[in-house]
Amino acid sequence: MALINKIREKSGIAVTVIAVSLILFMVGGDLMGPNSMLGGGNNQVVGEIAGNKIDIKDFQTRVDGFRQNYEAQSGRSLNENELSSLRDQAWNQFVVDIAYKKQFEDLGLSVTDEELYDMVQGNHISPSILQAFSDPTTQRFDKNAVVNYLKNLKTLPIEQQKSWENFEKSLREERTRSKYENLLKLSTYIPKAQAEKEYVAQNTKANLRYLYVPYFSVVDTTIKVTDSQLESYLSAHRKEYKGTDTRSIEYVTFPIQPAKDDSAALYTEIKELARGLATAQNDSAFASMNSDIPLPLNQTLGTMTEQLKEAVKTFVPGGVYGPYREGNTYYIYKYGGTKSDTVSTARASHILIGSDNQSDSAKTAARAKAEGILAQIRAGANFEALAATSSTDQGSAQRGGDVGYFPNNGTMVKPFEEAVFSATATGLIPRLIESQFGFHIIKVTDTKSNTVYRIASIGKTIAPSQATRDEAYRKADEFVNSVKTKEQFDEAVKKNKALVVATANRVPESATNINAIQNGRDIVRWAFKDDSKINSVSQVFETEEQYIVAVLVAKSDAKDVKVDDFRDELTTKVRNEIKAEQITAKLKGATGDLETIAKKYGAGALVESASDISLATGFLTSAGFDPIALGKAFGLKPGQKTGVFTGENGVFVVELISKTEAPKIADFTQYKTQLTQSLEGRMSYLVNEAIRDNAKIEDHRAKFF
């Protein structure tokens, strides 16, 4: 009901000169802007979809409609990130209206009024309606609330009636698209031969030995790669390297950091607040009124900062503590004691090894990899380092696997949550935990606790004074006025030891942030302007925390792929080809068993064994999953040995020791189901990509926003 309630609420010469000035001020942007007629550009096309040009006015009208609905529902104005998200929604709506609807119409797909009624107040309620008309406390859906709302709809303001009309339109579109995707899913067919092939790949087992010389055994610096070699490789593999429009910049920042006077003034203020907090009859209300940052009254260890977590151990009920400084914020706390809660929290880190699909072969491969990593950790390997390099959960991998504190209320998947909350001590859980996402290797870093701390908190952030901001701008302005070229930029940086050059490579035209710089759209738009040439220096850009001066160092063009666009990747590919040639030449003609050949080769050659592996789950100890090596091995007869060949990550000689063929079976239904489910799971993504590719979409929004 929360959404619906919000829909319901919610001298003559002098005068002439001034008037002309005001008019020019108000319309100057339209007359002289980069996309204006007088400014030299009258292109008002924001993009093209399936040959249909999208005019900026039409696009903005749709964005404005989304914004009105959003603000009516939320009761507040949007911030820039939310507005950017609505622009994406508006653009995607144009894609649906033009590219998708043609597909729908060709198939005769539609949603009738009767279907819509059934989705809104019938027997098959749409999830969107369920969410909108559910009690926020009990989460129970009330169909009568829908009926009553619709009965009174015509008495509501026209804006709210329009909002409901748009809401119903989105329900129709959602159902039509669902029909389309389900139709394609139902058309999925896996022939018996493919299912049989999958069965054989999973169940034919082999034992083999192999000689492996990895590319990394040859030092990179010993291999010289020329530009002509890179050009030749790119020319031969051009389809693999899709071009994009990007810009690379270097930049220096002039931080707007509070000065000592700013800090001293705030410190004095917060000491006064500490005295007020100590004597306040309603300490929570006092804290809320005076804090720059909304802070919860009741906290668990999971919601506390590391500094507060340590400090609270020494707190006595009724005491006021602080100020504590974290970054540019001072905190003071009034401690009110503890109580027990029905919900516990704990903290853990994990390494997730996910599978490419839900087939048994993929799961077996993922389990084998996870077991190998778990064994390494139990043998003393660093958990955080392995999380960073091996975990498929990229969000936590960047933090060494840390997922932070979480409650035992279903926030995490059930197997993961149960494993962590059943632990009685911190440390590694000595077994794999399987969930729908894959296999988890878990380290409990803080065991469960249901203690809640009552802390009235005030946080006051040091804000730089205008004098401080002016001084930072003066330095940036002085710098930019002294440089006009990249060479002068570099010389000025060398002279100013306080400046550090940062690099942002291959920034797309749609980017909003540049590295850690938030709201960097102005910099991106400058870099993509036609008159921004390579090695040209920008004006001073301002963000909330710093002034920035940038220099454009490189461009890439989607329609003209160059070696520099992929230099590092191409260099690795060509270098590995050269290494493969050198390793192969050194191994060629060697005779004897694998150990003899390895000994003749010298340092870098490894001889290893692999037991009971299959084509689907073959994992070679040092080489990892190498489909070329596996294919060669399974093509041998027992006792045969391959010649020297190049695999994915090195050069091999493989010897098949024995092979057990998959037993003959008559029913391949299980494997057909696996392959079907895997394909259906990717259907929505594949359909979306196919329709967008077919529509030949050109998105020029970044030139306007």
Side-chain angles (χ1 to χ4, degrees):
M1 283 300 297
L3 182 148
I4 299 304
N5 286 336
K6 286 171 184 171
I7 290 177
R8 289 173 176 159
E9 297 169 0
K10 319 208 171 176
S11 122
I13 294 177
V15 171
T16 301
V17 170
I18 293 171
V20 170
S21 298
L22 285 172
I23 292 170
L24 288 175
F25 174 77
M26 289 186 289
V27 304
D30 293 330
L31 292 175
M32 304 301 295
N35 292 305
S36 66
M37 290 170 50
L38 295 182
N42 59 359
N43 186 0
Q44 296 297 297
V45 176
V46 77
E48 186 172 323
I49 303 169
N52 295 269
K53 298 185 185 304
I54 311 301
D55 186 82
I56 182 63
K57 292 181 180 178
D58 295 335
F59 179 76
Q60 190 59 52
T61 297
R62 184 162 292 187
V63 172
D64 290 342
F66 283 166
R67 176 164 56 184
Q68 290 169 8
N69 289 341
Y70 187 96
E71 291 178 347
Q73 294 172 24
S74 65
R76 61 177 178 81
S77 299
L78 285 77
N79 59 39
E80 185 55 39
N81 286 337
E82 291 167 333
L83 185 55
S84 176
S85 178
L86 287 191
R87 291 191 189 109
D88 288 340
Q89 290 182 37
W91 177 254
N92 289 331
Q93 189 63 57
F94 275 107
V95 174
V96 170
D97 287 348
I98 297 172
Y100 272 85
K101 282 190 175 178
K102 184 180 186 305
Q103 305 294 324
F104 302 157
E105 290 168 359
D106 289 347
L107 290 170
L109 294 178
S110 64
V111 174
T112 65
D113 291 343
E114 290 76 15
E115 284 182 273
L116 182 62
Y117 177 90
D118 191 42
M119 293 167 62
V120 174
Q121 51 184 310
N123 297 321
H124 302 90
I125 303 296
S126 163
S128 298
I129 294 290
L130 288 173
Q131 181 181 7
F133 287 89
S134 290
D135 186 288
T137 304
T138 65
Q139 299 300 312
R140 299 182 71 176
F141 171 66
D142 184 1
K143 187 185 292 188
N144 290 329
V146 183
V147 175
N148 292 332
Y149 176 75
L150 294 176
K151 284 181 178 178
N152 296 318
L153 182 61
K154 291 185 178 180
T155 66
L156 297 176
I158 191 65
E159 295 83 3
Q160 294 182 27
Q161 294 182 43
K162 187 66 176 176
S163 293
W164 180 259
E165 181 183 331
N166 291 334
F167 185 51
E168 284 194 335
K169 181 182 177 184
S170 70
L171 292 179
R172 284 184 185 271
E173 291 168 348
E174 178 187 331
R175 176 60 62 87
T176 307
R177 182 167 175 172
S178 177
K179 285 184 177 183
Y180 180 71
E181 292 181 359
N182 287 336
L183 182 64
L184 291 176
K185 286 180 181 179
L186 291 172
S187 68
T188 302
Y189 175 69
I190 302 296
K192 179 183 176 182
Q194 189 176 349
E196 184 175 358
K197 185 178 179 181
E198 177 69 14
Y199 165 74
V200 171
Q202 291 185 31
N203 293 281
T204 298
K205 304 293 183 179
N207 298 317
L208 55 91
R209 300 179 72 245
Y210 57 94
L211 179 148
Y212 172 56
V213 184
Y215 294 140
F216 64 74
S217 66
V218 180
V219 179
D220 285 354
T221 54
T222 64
I223 307 297
K224 184 178 180 181
V225 178
T226 65
D227 279 356
S228 63
Q229 289 172 311
L230 298 177
E231 291 283 2
S232 297
Y233 187 92
L234 177 60
S235 178
H237 300 83
R238 195 165 294 277
K239 289 184 178 179
E240 299 173 24
Y241 296 91
K242 188 175 181 180
T244 54
D245 292 321
T246 67
R247 299 292 183 267
S248 296
I249 64 170
E250 293 179 0
Y251 60 92
V252 291
T253 63
F254 298 82
I256 306 172
Q257 297 177 335
K260 289 183 178 180
D261 291 345
D262 302 329
S263 178
L266 182 63
Y267 189 82
T268 300
E269 178 187 355
I270 204 163
K271 293 290 282 185
E272 288 293 326
L273 289 172
R275 284 189 280 271
L277 182 61
T279 58
Q281 291 185 351
N282 188 332
D283 52 14
S284 62
F286 182 87
S288 178
M289 290 173 56
N290 289 283
S291 181
D292 291 343
I293 304 167
L295 297 165
L297 178 64
N298 295 311
Q299 297 196 50
T300 65
L301 291 176
T303 60
M304 293 182 189
T305 63
E306 291 298 323
Q307 186 180 66
L308 177 56
K309 196 184 306 176
E310 287 300 312
V312 77
K313 298 175 183 177
T314 64
F315 288 0
V316 175
V320 175
Y321 300 89
Y324 298 93
R325 182 171 179 174
E326 294 187 19
N328 286 334
T329 304
Y330 284 109
Y331 294 93
I332 52 174
Y333 307 105
K334 184 174 181 180
Y335 183 52
T338 63
K339 65 178 181 179
S340 295
D341 196 1
T342 55
V343 176
S344 297
T345 58
R347 185 175 185 176
S349 298
H350 81 144
I351 300 172
L352 175 64
I353 305 301
S355 56
D356 294 334
N357 54 64
Q358 294 300 307
S359 67
D360 288 346
S361 59
K363 286 184 178 180
T364 303
R367 178 185 286 277
K369 183 177 180 181
E371 286 175 342
I373 294 172
L374 179 60
Q376 292 181 56
I377 296 170
R378 296 183 71 175
N382 184 274
F383 185 100
E384 287 72 22
L386 285 171
T389 57
S390 304
S391 182
T392 54
D393 177 7
Q394 293 301 309
S396 66
Q398 297 173 9
R399 303 186 297 272
D402 182 30
V403 298
Y405 282 90
F406 57 91
N408 60 338
N409 61 359
T411 301
M412 297 294 184
V413 290
K414 189 175 181 180
F416 185 95
E417 183 178 289
E418 288 179 345
V420 173
F421 281 91
S422 63
T424 57
T426 58
L428 182 70
I429 294 177
R431 69 184 191 283
L432 297 180
I433 304 299
E434 183 179 2
S435 76
Q436 63 262 45
F437 298 107
F439 297 92
H440 305 261
I441 302 164
I442 302 174
K443 182 172 74 172
V444 179
T445 51
D446 205 346
T447 54
K448 64 181 178 181
S449 170
N450 65 344
T451 302
V452 176
Y453 300 79
R454 187 187 189 281
I455 304 174
S457 312
I458 296 177
K460 299 294 287 185
T461 301
I462 308 168
S465 63
Q466 189 57 48
T468 300
R469 300 185 71 89
D470 290 346
E471 177 59 18
Y473 179 79
R474 184 193 65 76
K475 292 178 181 179
D477 189 55
E478 184 179 84
F479 176 86
V480 80
N481 285 326
S482 69
V483 298
K484 299 298 179 186
T485 65
K486 173 72 162 58
E487 184 179 358
Q488 293 174 345
F489 179 93
D490 293 339
E491 285 298 319
V493 170
K494 286 180 182 178
K495 293 177 183 178
N496 190 335
K497 303 299 181 184
L499 295 178
V500 176
V501 177
T503 302
N505 289 318
R506 296 178 64 80
V507 178
E509 192 173 10
S510 60
T512 55
N513 300 335
I514 299 176
N515 294 340
I517 299 173
Q518 303 294 313
N519 299 323
R521 278 300 299 157
D522 287 344
I523 304 174
V524 175
R525 293 184 69 180
W526 164 78
F528 276 88
K529 286 173 61 177
D530 291 339
D531 57 355
S532 293
K533 308 300 182 184
I534 298 294
N535 295 330
S536 63
V537 180
S538 74
Q539 71 270 31
V540 178
F541 294 105
E542 180 181 3
T543 68
E544 292 181 0
E545 299 177 345
Q546 57 203 338
Y547 293 103
I548 299 157
V549 178
V551 57
L552 184 62
V553 296
K555 298 181 179 182
S556 72
D557 188 337
K559 298 178 181 178
D560 183 19
V561 179
K562 294 184 173 62
V563 164
D564 282 339
D565 298 345
F566 298 96
R567 179 170 290 275
D568 290 343
E569 299 167 54
L570 294 171
T571 299
T572 298
K573 292 287 188 181
V574 173
R575 186 189 290 127
N576 284 345
E577 284 189 348
I578 298 172
K579 288 181 179 181
E581 292 171 1
Q582 292 183 357
I583 296 168
T584 300
K586 195 172 179 181
L587 287 170
K588 196 170 184 179
T591 58
D593 60 22
L594 297 180
E595 283 79 9
T596 301
I597 298 173
K599 187 174 181 180
K600 288 180 181 178
Y601 179 88
L606 306 171
V607 176
E608 297 178 336
S609 299
S611 301
D612 202 33
I613 65 171
S614 71
L615 269 173
T617 60
F619 189 81
L620 307 178
T621 306
S622 297
F625 182 73
D626 195 304
I628 297 174
L630 289 173
K632 294 276 189 180
F634 277 82
L636 297 172
K637 294 180 180 179
Q640 283 187 330
K641 184 169 59 181
T642 69
V644 180
F645 67 89
T646 300
E648 292 281 340
N649 298 302
V651 176
F652 289 85
V653 177
V654 176
E655 180 182 8
L656 182 65
I657 306 302
S658 64
K659 182 165 66 173
T660 304
E661 299 291 345
K664 296 292 183 183
I665 62 172
D667 186 5
F668 298 99
T669 302
Q670 174 187 345
Y671 301 92
K672 190 171 185 176
T673 300
Q674 289 177 7
L675 294 171
T676 300
Q677 290 176 345
S678 175
L679 183 57
E680 287 179 349
R682 305 195 309 273
M683 183 64 71
S684 180
Y685 169 78
L686 295 173
V687 167
N688 183 64
E689 289 298 298
I691 289 177
R692 286 173 176 268
D693 286 345
N694 186 58
K696 294 181 172 54
I697 295 172
E698 294 182 17
D699 185 353
H700 306 309
R701 286 178 294 155
K703 297 183 183 300
F704 295 84
F705 304 103

